[in-house]
Amino acid sequence: MSAAAKPVAVRPAVFDHPPVDPRVEALVNEVIGRVADKWTMIVLDVLAEHGEQRFTRLAALSGGVSQKMLTQTLRQMERDGLVIRTVHPVVPPKVEYRLTDLGFSLAEAFCGVWQWAEANLARIETAREAFDAAKAG
């Protein structure tokens, strides 16, 4: 893929920023990919709302995530510094997950998307209905 065709993070022109450090751009692209991941956002939301959780409770609160997908999601979130995994030395092992300050800050940033969706729900539904009606007709 040529450099010109490479996807880049969306930076609105209205903010008139100086050129972006390529490392920052790469990180933004990675974060957007992570944020776009359904399970990462759900886990962020659950941990922000309910606090530290054991794996099984986190799975139950996450609504339908498989054990494998939750494990992968939590590992990546831990690698990115979004969650802390605590293993308690008991039998059977007790493992808990909680958000880091970095994880909370991402959850706060994502809160803006919820607010946007709430404010624009009716407009989006109207647009979808008009689009579907035009395609059907």
Side-chain angles (χ1 to χ4, degrees):
M1 179 180 282
S2 71
K6 183 182 107 179
V8 296
V10 177
R11 286 177 278 137
V14 296
F15 293 122
D16 194 28
H17 286 274
V20 175
D21 179 329
R23 295 173 304 148
V24 172
E25 186 173 3
L27 179 60
V28 168
N29 284 325
E30 288 175 23
V31 169
I32 287 171
R34 183 102 48 252
V35 170
D37 174 68
K38 169 184 175 179
W39 295 117
T40 298
M41 288 294 87
I42 290 173
V43 168
L44 262 178
D45 187 50
V46 167
L47 291 175
E49 185 174 335
H50 298 281
E52 187 172 52
Q53 296 293 316
R54 291 183 73 168
F55 185 91
T56 53
R57 181 70 177 140
L58 184 55
L61 292 169
S62 295
V65 64
S66 70
Q67 182 174 347
K68 178 182 176 183
M69 184 54 68
L70 183 57
T71 298
Q72 290 174 354
T73 300
L74 288 166
R75 281 188 185 146
Q76 189 60 54
M77 291 176 74
E78 184 178 11
R79 181 176 183 264
D80 289 342
L82 302 175
V83 298
I84 291 175
R85 178 179 184 261
T86 304
V87 179
H88 300 277
V90 295
V91 177
K94 178 180 174 184
V95 180
E96 294 178 315
Y97 297 88
R98 66 181 166 87
L99 290 181
T100 63
D101 290 342
L102 186 61
F104 272 114
S105 69
L106 180 57
E108 288 173 358
F110 186 64
C111 185
V113 175
W114 282 94
Q115 292 168 345
W116 177 88
E118 186 175 65
N120 292 288
L121 177 64
R123 292 173 64 192
I124 292 170
E125 287 176 338
T126 299
R128 287 177 176 176
E129 289 169 5
F131 180 88
D132 293 345
K135 289 292 183 188

